[in-house]
Structure formats: structure tokens, C-alpha cells
Amino acid sequence: MLIDRALVTWFPGPASYTGEDLLEIGSHGGSLTPQLVLDAVLAVGARMAEPGEFTRRAYLNGKVDLLQAEATLDLIEARSVVLQRAAIAQLERGLSRRIEDLRQGLIELQALLAYSIDFPDEDEGPVPEERVDAAIASLRSGIEELLRNAPEGELLRDGALTVIAGRPNAGKSSLFNALLGQERAIVTELPGTTRDAIEALLSVDGYPFRLVDTAGYRDRPERIESLGIEVAEAYLSRADLILFCAESGRPLADNEEEFLAKWSDGDAEGPTRVLRVRTKSDLQTDAGAEDEIPVSVETGQGLVELRERMLEAVYHGLRAEEETPLVTRRRQARALERARDDVSSFEAARGAGLPPEVVATHLQDAQLALEELIGIVDTEDVLDAVFASFCIGK
Ligand code: GDP
């Protein structure tokens, strides 16, 4: 019985995606026909792939390293241009090459130390301390450079949680809509919390923000009473950024000052947590305080500056160092942190005058952390964690 006329592509290994012989059937689309084709293929002995199995096989066959496998997933899931760019750069092995260089540095340092262990009485004397010091300094700065923007890199996947806060009528919903502009169409009500909040993904220059408006509280005056400010604390405590709204020219009420004191980051060096927005600036000539941003959704005043300040508050580091390969996952950051801590332990042990063979074990640990990161050595649970998040067929 004829099911469909399909395009069948044969990819002989090892030049295929997985490195194995691969057959791809492109049937007509829709919901039923592909399913019927699949049923027919399963009936003659094929089985469904595990999530991420194709990429996992590509990894096991040496077609990609583990960081490239993760970048493949980033590329598929990217909802922001910056993450998409980072994923493409990593598919070209940008981060992998950096990690390989660091690993190479570690191996050379171990060789230097081994030389001192094996030939302590060599005529040329031990390896000069300065050489070891210089090698460590360069390793450390290489690792730290990659780690510096890792927290920002991780925000690229879901977007920086940005909560618009303020009293009822302060202009929050209007600001939410104005920031989204043309993108208003993708606003979705949060499942289970439809009355509490709506959320939309906002892209500012390709950098993603998860913009949350808690307009739903208007329907529940008793919550407004009890909270004073109509935003759920749960959101605020998780927020990467808060846009605090108050009408231009109006002195802040006590509970608003309390709100700012509670949620602003006291540490001037730390990341900005709260941007103070003065709404409806078209109704006021007063420019407001220096740390306030006057905004009007009627005239558009201040919207460009607000976007710029949002970028600066959340993605300052990434924008400043666009050339540095991005660390976009917790797994990657943790491995680098382990390597950095092992290098510190090495320095401490060396400073304490411990025997060179003891000191050197810390460098082996650092090397192992980097090798797990890139997948030169792997453990099943690392692979399971990496590939579990893939969908079937990738
Ligand atoms: P929310 O309760 O904080 O979400 O406030 P809304 O966004 O619903 O705005 C409350 C009222 O202020 C509405 O009538 C808006 O039209 C008005 N409003 C909001 N922003 C502006 C603005 O920039 N200029 C002026 N003139 N009115 C505004």
C-alpha cells in the first residue's frame, strides 16, 4: 500500500552527522503522514532514537566535542541573537580552542615541575621559580577571563528576569507594552498564574529579557492592600532586574522608599538590581533626580535610554568583551571553577613548601576538570546530563 512518495537521502559515514551511515526520509509534512511513515519504519525493525542520541553518537564517534554538542542545543533553542551567535562561534570551536590552550598550559607546567622532580641535581639547576610563576599567572587569568561573564552568559538562554514594579496606576502595563512595541504579539499569560502576571521575551539589541508585568493584581484589591506594592515577592526575589515605576514629580510614599531600600543592591560595585523609572514624564517638566529615568509612553521620551540602562545593568560584561568565547551553561562554569580552585590549591601547596610530587596532583585535578568540560574524558552521568535536555531526533 502506498503511504507517501518521500525524498530519501543517503549519508555514507564517516562524513555524516553522526559519523555512521545515515538514511534520512523526508516525507510530506503535516501530522498524519510522517507518523504513518514512522510506523512503517518501526514495523520493519527500527526503533525511536533517545533524546539527543544523534548528537551523542556524533560525540562518541569524535565528530564533535562536548562543548560543540551543547552548542548544537543552544543553536536549536536560541531565542536571542546573542546566544545564537555564541552557539555558532562555539560550533566553530571558539571556546573549545581556549580550553585546549589552557589544558596545554597545564600539561607544560606539569612537565616543568616533573623536570625538577626527576633531575633535582641537574647542572642547570631547578626550573626558575619565575617561570613557574608566569605559567600559573597566565593559566589563572585565562580561566578567570572565561568565568568573568559566565553568569551573564547563562542569562542568555531564558533571558534576564525583569520585573516591572510599582503602585497601581503607576504606568507599569503601559511601559510593558511600550518596551515590547511590535513584539507585543508574543505576550503569553503564565500558566497557572494568569491572574498574577504576564510575561514576554524582550530583545534589546539581541540580548534577551524576560519582562514580567503583574497587572493581574488589579483584580484583587486585598493583595494590593497587604503588599502595598503590587508585585509578588516571589518574582522579585528571583529577579535579575527590577524596573521600579513611580509617576514623575510625585514624592515617593514611605512604602515605596521601603521597597527601594529592600530590593536595591547596597553594594555599589555589585550588579544594578533596580532601575528607578519616573513614568508619565509628559505630564511633568521636573526632570527628577539624577538616578531616575524619566519615561513617557505618550511621547516616547526616555525609552531609548531605559533600554540602554537595562542592557548596561544586566549585560555590561558581555558587551564589553564580545571577543571572549561565551560560557553559557552552569556545567561549563562549574568545571572552570573547579579548575581555578585546583590552581589555587596548587599555589597554596607550593607556597607551603610541600614536596613537588604532592603539589603536582592539584594540576592533574585541574587538567581533569578541563578534560571533562570539553569531553576528552567523559563519564556516563555527565553525558546523560548533557544529552537529556535534547529533543528526540537531534
Ligand atoms: P499600571 O496600573 O501601573 O499598570 O498602570 P497603567 O499602565 O495601566 O497606566 C495607568 C494610567 O496612566 C493609564 O490611564 C495610562 O494611560 C496612563 N499612562 C501610563 N503611562 C503614561 C504616560 O507616559 N503618559 C501619560 N500621559 N499617561 C500615561
Side-chain angles (χ1 to χ4, degrees), residues 166-175 213 215 218 230 245 279-283 295-299:
R167 283 180 171 187
N169 255 348
K172 296 182 300 301
S173 297
S174 306
L175 182 65
D213 178 24
R218 256 194 297 277
E230 62 175 89
C245 297
T279 55
K280 313 185 193 181
S281 62
D282 54 295
L283 301 179
V295 168
S296 164
V297 304
E298 293 292 328
T299 64

Side-chain angles (χ1 to χ4, degrees), residues 59-134:
Y59 164 70
L60 291 172
N61 290 326
K63 298 290 287 187
V64 294
D65 67 36
L66 210 47
L67 290 168
Q68 285 176 300
E70 284 173 326
T72 306
L73 187 60
D74 282 349
L75 191 67
I76 296 165
E77 293 190 337
R79 294 186 297 167
S80 70
V81 175
V82 176
L83 182 59
Q84 199 272 352
R85 275 207 300 261
I88 284 289
Q90 172 45 27
L91 282 175
E92 299 295 314
R93 306 195 77 251
L95 181 58
S96 303
R97 273 198 299 273
R98 287 284 184 105
I99 305 295
E100 280 168 359
D101 289 349
L102 289 170
R103 173 173 175 266
Q104 196 53 39
L106 272 167
I107 291 171
E108 283 164 17
L109 183 53
Q110 290 175 76
L112 271 184
L113 294 170
Y115 185 82
S116 316
I117 297 168
D118 293 343
F119 309 104
D121 303 320
E122 196 71 357
D123 286 350
E124 290 173 25
V127 175
E129 294 285 297
E130 307 83 70
R131 240 182 108 186
V132 177
D133 288 342

